[in-house]
Amino acid sequence: MIQPSRHLDAMRAATPLVQNITNFVAMNVMANVMLAAGASPAMVHAREEVEEFAGLASAVTINIGTLDTEWADCMVLAASTAGQRGRPWVLDPVALGATALRRTVGARLLDLSPTIIRANASEILALSGAAAQGRGADATDAVAVAEEGALDLARRSGAVVAVTGPVDFVTDGRRSARLSNGDPMMPCVTALGCALTGVVGAFAAAAPAFEGTVAALAYYGVAGEVAARQADGPGSFQVAFLDALHSLRGPDIDAMARIEAA
């Protein structure tokens, strides 16, 4: 059984520098979430420095939410550098199935062997080549429908694949786990899913990819449950969620985490 506390403590002790090439909507939320968790976020995407910074970072995360061709080239440079340096990098293929540009960029990035792929069910189905339903960045496919696609994608790519939703599914193609923490208020706050990708990257900087991903998702889901006890709506939930990420300690997460082998 994976013990989230062990990996949370390791991440906080390391305070990993994580380079995030993410969308404009997510930058502020993601930075605050990662700081509250104990990581050091950097939003660096300029062509003139993206490779150099990727060489300095402990991990890299790439989110294609507000995509253009210039950013796509910079994403490829950062992912290539992370791979060359042996650093973990996380792919978040936002709304992958929506347009030809996103499918093309997603394929380019997948060819660069991401360490972890973190996405909703519709995005995982699209990336795996299966038929998917989706409405922009929102999933209209259930996580359970994407499990076989996630397994196939993990085996073909060598990545740990995390399908996130009401019940998360994580697999490396050999081992799989389901996590049932979280709260329905979480999707009501913009960019919390994008911010999760940064937290996964921070955990991956200090733990093996499968174990780190499971621990990150458990921590995030428990924080959502703690925040929901105090919140009256999405606005107060966002504040309470940051406080929960900051204040939660390992034993609390171990006691609350609902993780089962799949």
Side-chain angles (χ1 to χ4, degrees), residues 33-48:
V33 162
M34 294 179 69
L35 287 169
S40 179
M43 278 51 185
V44 177
H45 59 261
R47 180 186 290 272
E48 293 80 4

Side-chain angles (χ1 to χ4, degrees), residues 62-103:
I62 294 175
N63 171 306
I64 68 170
T66 50
L67 187 62
D68 64 30
T69 53
E70 173 76 12
W71 273 34
D73 291 341
C74 294
M75 291 170 181
V76 168
L77 292 172
S80 298
T81 300
Q84 291 163 9
R85 298 293 181 91
R87 309 279 168 74
W89 74 274
V90 185
L91 173 61
D92 187 345
V94 175
L96 181 86
T99 67
L101 174 63
R102 292 174 185 277
R103 291 189 290 273

Side-chain angles (χ1 to χ4, degrees), residues 70-154:
E70 173 76 12
W71 273 34
D73 291 341
C74 294
M75 291 170 181
V76 168
L77 292 172
S80 298
T81 300
Q84 291 163 9
R85 298 293 181 91
R87 309 279 168 74
W89 74 274
V90 185
L91 173 61
D92 187 345
V94 175
L96 181 86
T99 67
L101 174 63
R102 292 174 185 277
R103 291 189 290 273
T104 298
V105 173
R108 287 177 70 191
L109 292 168
L110 186 61
D111 284 344
L112 295 172
S113 301
T115 311
I116 300 162
I117 301 167
R118 203 290 309 168
N120 66 38
S122 297
E123 292 157 353
I124 291 297
L125 286 168
L127 194 61
S128 69
Q133 302 177 55
R135 189 182 59 189
D138 297 328
T140 54
D141 296 285
V143 170
V145 173
E147 288 187 4
E148 284 302 318
L151 282 161
D152 178 65
L153 182 59

Side-chain angles (χ1 to χ4, degrees), residues 149-176:
L151 282 161
D152 178 65
L153 182 59
R155 289 165 183 155
R156 287 191 288 111
S157 68
V160 169
V161 178
V163 191
T164 52
V167 177
D168 302 326
F169 179 75
V170 183
T171 185
D172 63 1
R174 298 178 296 107
R175 300 168 293 172
S176 300

